[in-house]
Every structure is written in structure tokens, then in C-alpha cells.
Amino acid sequence: MNVRHLIDLNDFTTADWHRIIRLAQEIMEKPQDYYGTCQGKLMATLFYEPSTRTQMSFQAAMHRLGGSVIGFDNPLNSSVSKGESLADTIRIVSGYTHLVTIRHPVEGAAQAASRYSSCPVINAGDGGHLHPTQTLTDLVTLTKYKGTLQNMTIGLCGDLKNGRTVHSILKALSRFPNKFILISTKELALPAYVKDILNASGCPFEEVYSLEEAIPRLDVLYMTRIQKERFSSEEEYERQKNVYVLDRKKLLRARADLAVLHPLPRVDEITPEVDSDPRALYFEQAKCGMYARMALITCLLQDDASRSFKEIPLSHPRNDIKCTNPKCITNHEPSLPHTFRENGGMFICEYCDERMILQ
Ligand code: CP
């Protein structure tokens, strides 16, 4: 792969995705053939934000490949609690390991980490921005259970504003001819920058409120949790929670071959009675995540063996401009250089994708 880090899945080519998906399928079929293939390799898992699936599936993946894992799942037990910057933490940890996996509550943190790392960095979720390895998981799951990544009508339901898994999967699946139905309240609608990507892709999409009305048309339903931790007030969260609940009654309206996915964890948005429906694939999806990550680790380590470390050059440094997104890493780590892409008179932050028009 030409790209050293996995920050945004769209940095990889479609051929790269297929290579990883194929390898994940091969590992699923004959896991014993891959035991020990990463012996002597060390991965750091730096989790600045809670996680069950992503953290443990990465750890399980590396252990199954014969490698080892170090890291933290609570930054307060590391020197982050003494004020160490992200840049310094990454400089140090990447000097100890062959691979760094990072989850962070702040948008653009993985992109920032990759600038200072001497080994590949994997984005395991950066705030409400992106979650590319969840999307790899989703692509492996769809390939296994639907046999295709295209010509589907895909409904995404719930917190489309803050759901990083939604942003990542839409970016990925809009590379293929698919149709999207975005099911949310107005308050939790998809961010404009992701809609721009859909518009540019040519994939048709519509925004609707009713899950009941949308469900009969779907090949895939991607349910999401309302992301309580991203809300600025408890009252607003209370207004949004429980608007969308998938239950057996709603599933009666769905096609027999619908695939119900959810990145998990779920709270109340899928009732437990749905779990036994053969269309509910979310637990299988979580398992696919471990194989997807085994394949990703294998590919990144194989391809990195011949590279030498170079700090990533800034494409458009503009320290005179400040990103207007308060959740952007550049507003949390003041020493980071600011850098923007320019597009149609707009400045787009290279860390968090915030779009700004300068006055
Ligand atoms: N899907 C997912 O990211 O789950 P965790 O938060 O448990 O890692």
C-alpha cells in the first residue's frame, strides 16, 4: 500500500481494500495458517477514550498473529496526566513499537499523531470524526453476508451527526454505486462535509425522518447509538434518545434478506428480541472486526518493512488561520501546525475536515 498510516480509509485505494478484505476472509477460513506471522512485532494501543470492541479486537488480533501489545486504556495512568503532549507521547511510543493504534476523543488526533510517529499509526476513532477500522469491519461483514459492496440501498439511522462510524462507512460505500437513505432527526443530520462527498460521488441519497417508512426499501440497515458523550447538554441528549428503536414489529416490514448492522455498543436502539432474528448480524460483525484487524496489521507491517521514517510534510501550512471547530485537535494541542486544503474558496482543516470561508 502506498499509504503508511490508516487515518481515513479513503486514503487507501479500492484495490488496497480488496486486498485487506480478501486476507481477512482467508484468515477467517484458516486462522491457524497465520498464527506466529507477526512474531517479534510490538503494537501500542493508546486509548484516550473508552472502548471494548476496537481495543480488544486489536489486542486479540495482534496476539493471534504472534505479536505483543503494550499501551494504556486510561491516559490518566500515563504521563498524559502530567501534561505530556500528544506529539511527545507519539514520538516516544513509536520509538518502542512497530505500530501505534490510537483512539482519542478529539477530532483529527490520529492525523496529528501520524505526523510525529516513526511507525504506522492506525486511527481507532477520533472524536465524532472518523472510525476507519470499523468501516473495514463493515466491509468485511458485508462481503461475507451480502456477497457485495455495491448496488444496495443502505439505510443509516440514528446519530448521523456525531456517529464517526457513519461518516467513515458513507465515505467508503459511496465509492461504489449504492443508494443511501439517511434516517435521523434534523438535529442529528449528517454533517455538510459528508453530504458533499456523497454529492461528488454521484450516489443518490435522501434524508428522511421515519424508520418505519424507510425500512421496506432497505438491503442494509446500519443502526447507531445516540452519542451521549458528544452532546453539550443532558437535556438535548434526553430529547434525542429513543427516537429510533428497532424492534420486531418494525422488522416485520423489512425484506427477508435485510442485513441489520450496528457498530455497537447499543443502548436502547435495538431491542434484545431482535437479536435472534437471522437478519441481525451485529454480533457476527463484531467478530469480523478481529479478522479485519488481523488483516490490516499484517498488510501495514509487511508494507512498512521497506520504508524509512520521514516526518510528513505539511501540504498547506497556514498558522495565520485557526480552525473554527472547537473539537479539532489544533484547538487542544496549541503547538500543532495548522494546515488547510483549499477548495472552491473554502479552507478545509486537514485534521478534522472543518470547512471555513475566510472573510
Ligand atoms: N464499535 C466500536 O468502536 O466499539 P467500541 O467503542 O467498544 O470500541
Side-chain angles (χ1 to χ4, degrees), residues 220-237:
V220 177
L221 171 59
Y222 199 90
M223 289 297 293
T224 62
R225 177 178 65 91
I226 305 301
Q227 306 268 304
K228 184 178 185 184
E229 64 276 26
R230 315 269 178 237
F231 281 66
S232 49
S233 80
E234 182 76 27
E235 294 73 42
E236 181 55 16
Y237 171 69

Side-chain angles (χ1 to χ4, degrees), residues 94-311:
S94 67
Y96 298 155
T97 60
H98 302 96
L99 196 57
V100 170
T101 299
I102 180 171
R103 170 171 288 191
H104 202 286
V106 175
E107 298 179 13
Q111 176 71 262
S114 70
R115 293 197 184 285
Y116 300 99
S117 179
S118 53
C119 68
V121 170
I122 299 174
N123 182 4
D126 59 328
H129 185 218
L130 295 172
H131 194 347
T133 68
Q134 179 62 49
T135 300
L136 263 186
T137 298
D138 303 337
L139 299 186
V140 170
T141 309
L142 287 171
T143 304
K144 179 172 165 131
Y145 291 98
K146 297 293 283 183
T148 185
L149 298 177
Q150 58 190 25
N151 300 321
M152 294 184 287
T153 300
I154 300 158
L156 298 105
C157 178
D159 191 347
L160 309 189
K161 177 183 177 195
N162 300 301
R164 56 193 174 199
T165 59
V166 169
H167 309 160
S168 281
I169 195 174
L170 279 171
K171 288 178 77 169
L173 287 179
S174 61
R175 269 202 196 168
F176 307 101
N178 286 305
K179 178 176 179 181
F180 300 102
I181 303 188
L182 309 174
I183 308 155
S184 78
T185 61
K186 279 200 171 61
E187 291 80 4
L188 296 184
L190 196 70
Y193 90 88
V194 190
K195 280 187 210 163
D196 285 350
I197 292 167
L198 292 183
N199 278 320
S201 74
C203 290
F205 71 94
E206 54 187 286
E207 295 183 275
V208 303
Y209 176 78
S210 168
L211 174 58
E212 283 92 333
E213 282 173 29
I215 203 167
R217 292 193 278 153
L218 303 179
D219 298 301
V220 177
L221 171 59
Y222 199 90
M223 289 297 293
T224 62
R225 177 178 65 91
I226 305 301
Q227 306 268 304
K228 184 178 185 184
E229 64 276 26
R230 315 269 178 237
F231 281 66
S232 49
S233 80
E234 182 76 27
E235 294 73 42
E236 181 55 16
Y237 171 69
E238 289 295 323
R239 272 195 293 277
Q240 296 292 335
K241 74 170 197 190
N242 298 335
V243 174
Y244 297 105
V245 178
L246 179 66
D247 55 17
R248 197 177 278 161
K249 188 165 165 236
K250 289 194 190 83
L251 264 185
L252 287 174
R253 297 169 57 80
R255 292 183 188 159
D257 63 349
L258 174 74
V260 180
L261 303 185
H262 189 313
L264 305 179
R266 71 160 152 198
V267 186
D268 299 316
E269 62 279 2
I270 301 181
T271 59
E273 64 188 7
V274 171
D275 297 353
S276 56
D277 191 294
R279 293 167 288 186
L281 298 180
Y282 30 88
F283 296 125
E284 283 85 354
Q285 182 186 1
K287 200 162 179 187
C288 284
M290 180 180 71
Y291 295 108
R293 290 172 176 113
M294 287 173 83
L296 174 67
I297 291 169
T298 302
C299 291
L300 282 177
L301 289 178
Q302 264 171 6
D303 294 358
D304 202 52
S306 58
R307 285 188 237 245
S308 58
F309 170 65
K310 280 200 295 281
E311 201 151 301

